[in-house]
C-alpha cells in the first residue's frame, strides 16, 4: 500500500505572544489533568471500595469507564479544534472536567461515581490532544520536537507527585477531598488558559465540521495503515509501564507490601524515567533523525523489559530493585514518543487536529484493554506482569518495523 502525498500545510503563526517556556508549561498542565485524574485516587481505591460497599473489581471499573470515555472522545477533540479553533475546545473541555470532578466528590453511590468518572474521561483529553496540534501549528522539525520534549518534561511532574498527594489527602481528609482538589486545580487552569493561550489555527485553515466532510477526513486518516501502525506502536510502548501504574492498587500492597502513602516508590522512578527520556529527546533534536531516535528508544525498552522479565522470574521482587527496569523502560518510551508524535502529525499537515485525535484514540483504546482486561489478569503475579511488559513493547516494535517496511516500499517521505 502506498502512502498518501502530504497535503500542503497551512502557514503557521510564526509569532506567539506567550514565551515558549510558558506555552510548554501551560500545555503540560493541561496534559497533567489526565494522570492526575488517575494517579491521585489510586491510593484511595481500597478505602473508596469499603465506603461505597463495592468489590475491588467494581472499583476497577471506575478506571475503565474513565478510560473508555477518554478513548471515545479522542475521536472528536481534534476534529472539533480543526473546525472551531484550538482554544475554544480546550476551554470547553476544562469546564466539563471541572463539573465531572465536583460530581465525583459529591457521589454517594457507585453508579453516580461511574457517571461522573465517564464525564471526566470524555473531557480530559481536549488539552492533551489539541495541545499537540497547537505545537505543530507553531513549530516544525527540531523546534517542534524540542517543545514537545519540554512539555513532556513539565508533564512528568504530575504522575510523580499525584499519588503522594492523593495518598495523604485520602488519609487526612477522605477520598472526596481528592476530587475537590481536582476541581480547584481545573478551575485555576481554566482561568490561566483563558488569559495565556492564544489561537494558533487561522480561519483560513479551518476544516468543515459537516458530517460528509468529517467522515471523509476520518476515512482519509483512519484508513491509512502506516498511520494506524505508528499509533498502535505509541499506545503499546506506553502501556508497557502504564500496566504497572494501573495495577498499583493490587501489585504494590500484595507484591511489594507498600502502604497507600508509599505508592511513590513506583510512580517516582517511572516518571523520572519519562522526564529523562524527554530531556534526551530535546538534546538530540536536530542531531538525530526521527528514525534513529525511535530505534534507540526501542533498544532501551526491549533491554529493560528483558531485564525485568529475568529479575521477576528468578528473584522475589522488592523495593528498590523492582523499580530499576521500569525506570529504564520509561526512558526509552519517552524518547520514542516525541519522535513518533511528530511522524504521525506530519502525515496529515492540514488535519493535524484529527490526526492527533485518532492517534490518541488508538492509544487510549490500548489503555482500556490493558486497564480493563490485561491488568486484572496479571496484577497478582510479578512474573506475569513482567511478561506482559515484554509482550506489549514487542508488539509495539513489530508495528514500528512494519510501518518502516511500508515506507520503504514507497519513496514518499512521511
Amino acid at each position: 500500500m502506498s502512502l498518501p502525498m502530504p497535503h500542503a500545510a497551512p502557514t503557521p503563526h510564526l509569532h506567539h505572544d506567550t514565551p515558549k517556556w510558558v506555552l510548554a508549561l501551560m500545555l503540560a498542565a493541561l496534559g497533567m489533568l489526565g494522570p492526575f485524574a488517575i494517579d491521585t485516587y489510586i491510593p484511595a481505591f481500597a478505602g473508596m471500595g469499603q465506603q461505597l460497599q463495592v468489590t475491588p473489581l467494581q472499583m476497577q471499573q471506575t478506571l475503565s469507564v474513565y478510560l473508555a470515555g477518554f478513548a471515545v472522545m479522542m475521536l472528536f477533540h481534534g476534529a472539533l479544534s480543526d473546525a472551531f479553533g484550538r482554544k475554544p475546545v480546550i476551554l470547553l473541555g476544562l469546564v466539563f472536567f471541572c463539573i465531572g470532578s465536583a460530581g465525583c466528590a459529591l457521589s454517594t453511590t457507585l453508579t453516580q461515581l461511574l457517571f461522573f468518572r465517564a464525564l471526566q474521561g470524555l473531557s480530559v483529553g481536549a488539552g492533551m490532544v489539541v495541545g499537540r496540534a497547537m505545537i505543530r501549528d507553531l513549530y516544525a522539525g527540531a523546534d517542534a520536537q524540542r517543545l514537545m520534549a519540554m512539555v513532556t518534561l513539565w508533564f512528568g511532574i504530575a504522575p510523580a507527585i499525584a499519588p503522594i498527594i492523593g495518598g495523604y489527602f485520602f488519609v487526612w481528609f477522605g477520598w472526596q477531598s481528592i476530587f475537590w482538589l481536582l476541581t480547584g486545580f481545573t478551575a485555576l487552569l481554566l482561568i490561566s488558559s483563558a488569559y495565556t493561550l492564544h489561537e494558533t489555527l487561522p480561519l483560513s485553515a479551518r476544516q468543515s465540521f459537516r458530517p460528509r466532510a468529517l467522515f471523509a477526513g476520518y476515512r482519509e486518516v483512519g484508513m491509512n495503515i502506516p498511520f494506524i501502525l505508528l499509533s498502535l506502536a505509541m499506545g503499546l510502548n506506553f502501556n508497557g509501564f502504564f500496566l504497572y501504574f494501573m495495577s498499583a492498587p493490587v501489585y504494590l500492597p500484595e507484591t511489594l507490601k507498600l502502604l497507600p502513602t508509599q505508592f511513590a516508590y513506583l510512580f517516582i522512578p517511572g516518571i523520572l524515567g519519562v522526564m529523562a527520556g524527554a530531556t534526551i529527546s530535546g538534546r538530540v533534536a536536530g542531531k538525530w533523525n526521527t528514525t534513529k531516535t525511535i530505534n534507540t528508544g526501542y533498544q532501551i525498552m526491549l533491554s529493560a523489559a528483558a531485564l525485568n522479565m529475568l529479575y521477576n522470574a528468578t528473584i522475589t521482587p522488592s523495593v528498590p530493585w523492582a523499580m530499576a527496569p521500569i525506570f529504564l523502560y520509561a526512558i526509552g518510551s519517552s524518547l520514542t514518543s516525541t519522535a513518533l508524535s511528530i511522524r504521525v502529525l506530519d502525515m496529515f499537515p492540514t488535519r493535524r487536529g484529527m490526526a492527533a485525535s485518532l492517534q490518541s484514540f488508538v492509544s487510549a483504546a490500548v489503555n482500556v484493554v490493558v486497564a480493563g482486561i490485561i491488568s486484572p489478569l496479571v496484577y497478582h503475579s510479578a512474573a506475569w506482569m513482567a511478561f506482559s511488559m515484554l509482550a506489549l513493547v514487542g508488539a509495539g516494535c513489530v508495528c514500528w518495523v512494519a510501518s518502516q517496511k511500508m515506507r520503504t516500499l514507497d519513496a514518499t517521505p512521511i
Side-chain angles (χ1 to χ4, degrees), residues 234-281:
M234 292 182 67
L236 291 164
N237 298 345
F238 173 73
N239 275 276
F241 74 96
F242 184 69
L243 168 68
Y244 280 84
F245 286 25
M246 295 302 94
S247 303
V250 175
Y251 172 71
L252 295 185
E254 286 192 4
T255 302
L256 298 183
K257 311 302 181 185
L258 298 180
L259 301 173
T261 53
Q262 296 176 310
F263 277 31
Y265 282 114
L266 168 65
F267 286 81
I268 288 181
I271 300 311
L272 286 178
V274 170
M275 296 173 73
T279 301
I280 296 170
S281 179

Side-chain angles (χ1 to χ4, degrees), residues 12 23 116 163 187 191 198 215 283 298 320 328 341 344 350 374 385-386:
L23 178 63
F116 286 111
I191 296 170
H198 304 291
F215 178 76
R283 294 289 180 86
Y298 270 113
L328 293 174
S341 291
V344 166
T350 61
I374 297 178
M385 292 272 290

Side-chain angles (χ1 to χ4, degrees), residues 164-223:
I164 301 173
I165 295 173
Y168 280 107
F169 265 65
F170 167 62
V171 171
W172 291 342
F173 309 114
W175 66 264
Q176 292 90 344
S177 66
I178 295 172
F179 292 102
W180 284 125
L181 176 66
L182 287 174
T183 303
F185 178 70
T186 307
L188 181 62
L189 191 54
L190 176 62
I191 296 170
S192 301
S193 298
Y195 284 98
T196 304
L197 295 181
H198 304 291
E199 183 57 58
T200 62
L201 188 67
L203 289 172
S204 60
R206 305 284 171 91
Q207 299 289 329
S208 173
F209 200 69
R210 294 194 303 272
R212 177 175 293 184
L214 195 62
F215 178 76
Y218 279 122
R219 183 174 57 186
E220 177 188 3
V221 179
M223 295 298 289

